[in-house]
Amino acid sequence: MKEIENIQHKLPSQEIDYLKIAKILLSRWYWIAGAVIFGILAANVYLWYTPKTYATTGTMKFEENKSEISDLVGTMGTPDKGPSKVQTETMVLQSRNVIISAIKDLDYRISFYVVGRVFSRTNELYPKKPLDIQFLKFDTLNFFHDIISFKPVNNSSFLLSYPQSGKQVEKVINYNTPFTIGNMALSIKTPAALLKDVVFQFKFNSPEDFLDRIRGGLHTSEVIRNSNIVSLQQTDSNPQFAADALNAIMTEYLNYDRSQRMQSATQMIDFIDSQLKYLSNQIKGSEKSIENFKQNLKILDVSSAAEAALSKAKDLETQRSLLKIQLIALEQLKTDVIREKNNVTLNFSLEGVVDPQLQNSIIKLDNLLSDKFSSSKTFTDNSQPITDINQQILQIKNTALNNIKVTIGLIQKNIDYIDGQLIPINQQIAQFPVAENDMAGLKRNFEVNDKVYSFLSERKLNAQISRSGILPGATIIDVAQANYSPISPDEHSIRHSAIIFGLLIGFGLIILIRILNPFIYDKETIESLTAIPILGVIRKFTGEIDEYNSQILAISTPKSIFAESVRSVRTNLSFLAADKERKVICVTSDVAGEGKSFVAVNLSSTLSLIDKKVIIIAADLRRSKLHKTFQVPNDVGLSNYLAHQCNAEDIIRHSSQANLDFIVSGPVPPNPSELLHSAKVGELLMFLKTRYEVIMIDTAPIGLVSDAIPLIRLSDINLFVIRSGKSKLYSATVPQRIAHEYNLENTVIVLNSYSEELLHSRYYTTKFTGENYGSRYYYYSDYSGNEGSGYYIDEKTKKWWDIRNWFKS
């Protein structure tokens, strides 16, 4: 555990390089630009195919007066205004009855559409009518509901297409000629303008077809909180239809409101007439009884004392009679509510007696009953819409019946109170002489009935006058105008969101690719994974390379960046095992294909250029390619020597390059690992040291087979090759584990085939500070950005999408 901590302690410190982060993101700017362009295109397609929604508004003012019944009776003192008034009238505005009546005021019977082409939409043409369709037979309850396509054939005929019994029916019909569709008979007149290459669609409608469309788009709100001014908004995909529908709703509401008020007045007058008829008979009888009594007993009038008592009793009896009439009206209302009678109305109301909320409940109940009646034409009794309305009716009925019950109880208490006040007065009258007492009783009955009769007659006259001049309880302040500026979709917001979404997709794709990347691309990644120092970076050769590297690029292209990077590794290599004049260098890697043979050949060739006697040994006895690099046969080589089939002199071959010799691997043996573990390997190395200054051993991949282990332990320097874009992250940890396990010194890493790939580069910068710098790490360059410096042959083809090239001359 302590050794691991020491290794971790030796890792170089790294800091976030924000400039490098920017470079990483900009390295794939075309991904980001492509994602943004895709987002904008997607937004435009969405905006093109998404129907636009338009809104139009109107304003209404509800009058701040008492309810119509209160106006007629003239006795209810609580004004019906404020939030409850607005909420109640809003329910009326949105009721099925009002909306259906408003639809009937529109030109709703036929809807026309123009069919777009490949990239166009199908649009409603309201209020335009491109075709003059004449109905010869039309049943408003049973007609063809599907969409019919119309396409002109020539100046005298057209093609109709529509579904019928699961099939598509097509007919060619002449203009002005009757034809049938389903149970309908109609004809189409010759259009005034010639129609070419235009396809129309049309369908026949009932008012109920537009109900959900209008009700779903109708919204109401108070202009000012708790005010009596309401703003109405109608939204629809057709701005003209929205304006026409809203104006029709406001107009129809006024008609509905006036009709309801007149109906209330008529019911009140009928109720008063019935009460007057009864009182008229009572008054006539009382008057005749008084005359007969006076004639028989010769009494002219009662005394002043009796007159005072009679006056008090008369007032109380009048109040009692009016309360009795109020009870009759409430009982009639209760019966109507229970029976769910349409146009329920309270026909008589006394000030301070009837609960004001009762009238609101009655209005709501009337609206729900109207909706139920209208819905019953379309839905069955067990359908969900009818069930929902019945549930609401039940709630309103219970509320209204509770209010009626409470009001009846209050009236009954008032009657009992009046009866209690009449008891002492009746006792006082009973003490008068018999004749005077009888006369007072007759006169009291007459005057009470006469006063009630006069009261009701006055109310009837007021009701008749008011009915003749009834106006709606609201006023249209602003009519709706067609607004051709859509409220949705919000083009600016959608395009702005598309750009942001595109940026997120572009940046997210870069981050995702980096997260999913399992390979090593730069030296900073290696430095973050292992404490083994990097000896140098060998640049990727961008030119043509044959399969076996027979050119030996470090020699054939001496002015390339690749050759310079190999020479940099050569220079740093001289600092390793500096105390030894003869060095054995072992070159290995984790897996095949990482370029260890390529590095060994090119590094050996550069060493030979500085008058070093160098020999390369192809120690990969399984898949060596060194003989193909030097273009020699592989019949006699290392495997023959290790198998005691020849001596060392027999396997040494000379290359065309001075100071550079090589030993090929020889035929593939059946036991390569055992041969490499034999003592003959040590003997060969001892012999070669007497003749060469550098012995470069190209071994098998250490991550695949164990053949390289004995060679590594015999070497002075171990070069572990990691190939940029090929070696996985795990490979960087292998040399440290090998060095720790076998106590190896002078183990270093060479990053091979490096080319700047910002997308996968690490966004940290290594900081070499303290005692580690100079002793554990070597100076080297990755030569990034130096291609056009003039010191090297520019092997790199400039790419149009590399934004850095735009700023270079």
Side-chain angles (χ1 to χ4, degrees), residues 401-605:
L401 291 174
N402 287 334
N403 288 336
I404 292 173
K405 180 179 179 181
V406 171
T407 303
I408 290 175
L410 292 174
I411 293 174
Q412 192 60 53
K413 288 182 180 179
N414 289 337
I415 293 175
D416 293 342
Y417 176 76
I418 292 173
D419 288 342
Q421 289 185 316
L422 284 173
I423 291 175
I425 296 175
N426 289 334
Q427 290 176 352
Q428 182 182 355
I429 294 174
Q431 295 176 359
F432 297 150
V434 176
E436 189 174 3
N437 187 5
D438 292 340
M439 181 63 183
L442 292 173
K443 191 173 181 180
R444 182 174 69 175
N445 290 336
F446 171 78
E447 290 182 353
V448 168
N449 290 334
D450 183 63
K451 188 171 182 179
V452 173
Y453 187 88
S454 298
F455 177 83
L456 292 178
S457 297
E458 181 182 357
R459 294 298 172 260
K460 177 183 177 182
L461 178 61
N462 290 338
Q464 289 172 334
I465 295 172
S466 298
R467 183 176 62 177
S468 63
I470 282 179
L471 294 174
T475 305
I476 298 177
I477 299 177
D478 293 322
V479 296
Q481 300 290 336
N483 181 9
Y484 292 93
S485 298
I487 60 171
S488 71
D490 187 345
E491 295 186 9
H492 176 75
S493 176
I494 289 175
R495 287 195 172 96
H496 184 261
S497 299
I499 293 174
I500 295 177
F501 181 74
L503 291 173
L504 292 177
I505 288 294
F507 289 127
L509 184 60
I510 292 173
I511 294 172
L512 179 63
I513 294 298
R514 285 179 58 85
I515 291 174
L516 297 178
N517 169 53
F519 301 109
I520 296 172
Y521 279 89
D522 61 354
K523 56 187 177 60
E524 284 79 13
T525 303
I526 299 173
E527 290 165 348
S528 68
L529 296 172
T530 181
I532 299 296
I534 299 175
L535 186 66
V537 175
I538 297 179
R539 288 294 298 245
K540 181 177 182 180
F541 186 80
T542 57
E544 292 293 332
I545 304 178
D546 64 61
E547 183 180 0
Y548 306 113
N549 187 29
S550 59
Q551 310 102 314
I552 307 181
L553 299 174
I555 297 176
S556 61
T557 57
K559 293 185 178 181
S560 64
I561 297 180
F562 165 78
E564 182 60 33
S565 64
V566 175
R567 287 193 288 269
S568 176
V569 174
R570 179 191 66 185
T571 300
N572 288 336
L573 191 62
S574 65
F575 293 100
L576 292 174
D579 56 328
K580 296 183 179 181
E581 294 183 0
R582 312 286 179 169
K583 299 179 182 179
V584 178
I585 303 174
C586 182
V587 182
T588 188
S589 65
D590 185 30
V591 294
E594 294 180 313
K596 54 182 179 51
S597 299
F598 178 80
V599 170
V601 169
N602 283 278
L603 189 56
S604 298
S605 65

Side-chain angles (χ1 to χ4, degrees), residues 538 546-556 562 566 570 585 587 595-609 614-618 624-631 655 657-664 694 696-699 719 721 752:
I538 297 179
D546 64 61
E547 183 180 0
Y548 306 113
N549 187 29
S550 59
Q551 310 102 314
I552 307 181
L553 299 174
I555 297 176
S556 61
F562 165 78
V566 175
R570 179 191 66 185
I585 303 174
V587 182
K596 54 182 179 51
S597 299
F598 178 80
V599 170
V601 169
N602 283 278
L603 189 56
S604 298
S605 65
T606 57
L607 286 168
S608 68
L609 292 175
V614 181
I615 188 170
I616 308 174
I617 302 175
S624 176
K625 296 179 181 179
L626 188 65
H627 61 286
K628 293 183 179 180
T629 299
F630 290 101
Q631 300 178 2
S655 70
Q657 174 69 26
N659 299 323
L660 180 61
D661 295 338
F662 61 93
I663 298 175
V664 298
V694 176
M696 190 78 65
I697 305 175
D698 177 21
T699 69
L719 293 185
V721 177
N752 181 36

Side-chain angles (χ1 to χ4, degrees), residues 135-283:
F135 291 107
L136 305 178
K137 178 185 176 183
F138 188 84
D139 186 350
T140 57
L141 297 179
N142 184 19
F143 57 89
F144 190 81
H145 284 271
D146 290 321
I147 291 179
I148 303 169
S149 295
F150 169 94
K151 183 177 181 180
V153 177
N154 50 45
N155 295 340
S156 60
S157 62
F158 55 89
L159 175 67
L160 282 188
S161 176
Y162 55 89
Q164 189 175 54
S165 302
K167 298 180 179 179
Q168 195 71 15
V169 179
E170 293 186 351
K171 292 182 180 179
V172 176
I173 305 171
N174 293 328
Y175 291 109
N176 303 314
T177 301
F179 60 92
T180 60
I181 298 179
N183 61 344
M184 301 186 307
L186 58 153
S187 66
I188 300 179
K189 289 187 175 182
T190 304
L194 185 62
L195 302 175
K196 286 186 177 181
D197 300 327
V198 178
V199 178
F200 293 110
Q201 291 180 342
F202 60 90
K203 69 181 296 287
F204 306 109
N205 307 303
S206 66
E208 286 76 12
D209 294 335
F210 291 93
L211 179 62
D212 292 337
R213 175 179 173 179
I214 293 178
R215 181 180 279 176
L218 181 61
H219 308 280
T220 60
S221 61
E222 297 179 43
V223 175
I224 303 175
R225 186 176 178 82
N226 296 335
S227 69
N228 62 329
I229 300 178
V230 174
S231 174
L232 294 90
Q233 183 187 70
Q234 181 70 45
T235 58
D236 195 82
S237 59
N238 187 309
Q240 189 61 55
F241 179 83
D244 292 348
L246 186 56
N247 286 328
I249 289 173
M250 292 191 292
T251 301
E252 194 57 40
Y253 167 78
L254 300 183
N255 296 334
Y256 176 84
D257 186 65
R258 187 173 184 274
S259 173
Q260 290 295 107
R261 288 165 178 263
M262 291 185 66
Q263 189 172 23
S264 298
T266 301
Q267 290 182 5
M268 182 178 294
I269 292 171
D270 292 341
F271 177 80
I272 293 176
D273 279 339
S274 66
Q275 299 300 316
L276 288 175
K277 183 177 180 181
Y278 170 78
L279 289 174
S280 176
N281 294 330
Q282 293 293 322
I283 290 172

Side-chain angles (χ1 to χ4, degrees), residues 298-435:
K298 308 299 181 180
I299 297 177
L300 297 178
D301 209 340
V302 296
S303 63
S304 58
E307 184 66 34
L310 184 61
S311 177
K312 292 181 180 181
K314 177 182 65 176
D315 292 338
L316 292 174
E317 288 285 354
T318 300
Q319 295 178 32
R320 189 174 185 275
S321 296
L322 292 174
L323 290 174
K324 286 288 187 180
I325 294 173
Q326 182 69 78
L327 282 179
I328 294 172
L330 287 170
E331 289 294 339
Q332 181 180 339
L333 175 65
K334 180 179 179 181
T335 302
D336 291 344
V337 170
I338 293 174
R339 294 178 180 177
E340 297 184 5
K341 179 182 176 182
N342 288 331
N343 299 318
V344 178
T345 302
L346 179 59
N347 295 319
F348 191 79
S349 179
L350 293 176
E351 180 181 359
V353 175
V354 179
D355 186 357
Q357 295 299 323
L358 178 59
Q359 186 62 28
N360 289 335
S361 298
I362 293 171
I363 292 174
K364 293 179 181 178
L365 181 61
D366 276 340
N367 293 333
L368 289 172
L369 291 174
S370 297
D371 283 351
K372 181 179 178 181
F373 177 74
S374 300
S375 299
S376 63
K377 297 179 182 179
T378 308
F379 304 102
T380 62
D381 292 340
N382 295 327
S383 63
Q384 189 61 42
I386 299 295
T387 302
D388 293 341
I389 293 176
N390 286 335
Q391 187 66 29
Q392 297 178 51
I393 289 175
L394 180 60
Q395 294 176 356
I396 297 296
K397 278 178 60 177
N398 291 335
T399 301
L401 291 174
N402 287 334
N403 288 336
I404 292 173
K405 180 179 179 181
V406 171
T407 303
I408 290 175
L410 292 174
I411 293 174
Q412 192 60 53
K413 288 182 180 179
N414 289 337
I415 293 175
D416 293 342
Y417 176 76
I418 292 173
D419 288 342
Q421 289 185 316
L422 284 173
I423 291 175
I425 296 175
N426 289 334
Q427 290 176 352
Q428 182 182 355
I429 294 174
Q431 295 176 359
F432 297 150
V434 176

